[in-house]
Amino acid sequence: MLSKVLGAVGLLLLVVGAVFAVRPVHVGGDGCGSVFQPDKGITPMQCDARLSSRGNLVTGFGAGGAALIVAAVAVAAIRDRRTRVPSS
């Protein structure tokens, strides 16, 4: 049960990170593009801070989600190994 919860929350964090990565950023009514593809023709100083903070947010969600998925796999592997090895 714990591995399923960890995996589900990890997957949710990865999806949220992906949504924030492709969602466009706006500063003062001007479109800056997204983390993956900034708009062409924008003044970099207008959007740098917003795109940088959005990039940090995406990285945090992605790293957290990946860590939780790895933890879920580890918990499942440990639990599986305990059920296969007979107790003495």
Side-chain angles (χ1 to χ4, degrees):
M1 180 70 180
L2 177 63
S3 62
K4 289 180 183 179
V5 171
L6 286 174
V9 171
L11 187 62
L12 179 68
L13 286 177
L14 286 175
V15 169
V16 168
V19 167
F20 276 130
V22 298
R23 188 172 170 199
V25 176
H26 298 284
V27 175
D30 296 329
C32 298
S34 68
V35 173
F36 289 136
Q37 188 172 12
D39 279 346
K40 293 182 181 5
I42 60 170
T43 305
M45 292 179 4
Q46 291 174 324
C47 299
D48 278 348
R50 292 294 291 263
L51 286 173
S52 177
S53 65
R54 179 68 64 94
N56 291 339
L57 187 67
V58 168
T59 302
F61 277 125
L68 285 176
I69 289 175
V70 167
V73 170
V75 166
I78 290 170
R79 195 166 280 160
D80 183 47
R81 177 172 279 187
R82 282 188 178 176
T83 58
R84 285 190 299 159
V85 175
S87 305
S88 314

